């Protein structure tokens, strides 16, 4: 778990990754080794960086992408 202010309100949010085969349908193969706040912003919130490489923007009220099945 990492604590970081994602929306600039001075209150730290917890970045927590939860993975379980039942939470991702039949896929269940998504593994994160690290989550951290990125330098980019979208929707008033900082991006989250997955495994030091993939930048995940805040979009339509949540992090992630509609094409993901989890």
């Amino acid at each position: 778990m990492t604590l970081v202010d994602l929306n600039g309100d001075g209150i730290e949010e917890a970045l927590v990754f939860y993975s379980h085969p039942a939470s991702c349908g039949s896929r269940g193969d998504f593994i994160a080794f690290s989550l951290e706040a990125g330098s980019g912003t979208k929707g008033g919130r900082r991006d989250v960086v997955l495994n030091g490489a993939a930048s995940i923007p805040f979009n339509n009220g949540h992090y992630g992408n509609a094409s993901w099945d989890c």
Side-chain angles (χ1 to χ4, degrees):
M1 178 177 76
T2 302
L3 296 175
V4 63
D5 182 9
L6 293 173
N7 60 1
D9 66 358
I11 300 171
E12 293 180 321
E13 287 78 37
L15 293 179
V16 179
F17 185 80
Y18 172 78
S19 177
H20 187 278
S23 69
C24 294
S26 61
R27 204 171 83 181
D29 59 356
F30 193 71
I31 298 173
F33 297 105
S34 68
L35 290 173
E36 57 193 48
S39 58
T41 61
K42 185 172 181 182
R45 294 183 180 254
R46 291 172 65 183
D47 295 347
V48 171
V49 177
L50 174 67
N51 294 335
S55 183
I56 304 168
F58 187 78
N59 193 16
N60 295 322
H62 60 86
Y63 285 96
N65 166 326
S67 68
W68 296 0
D69 63 1
C70 357

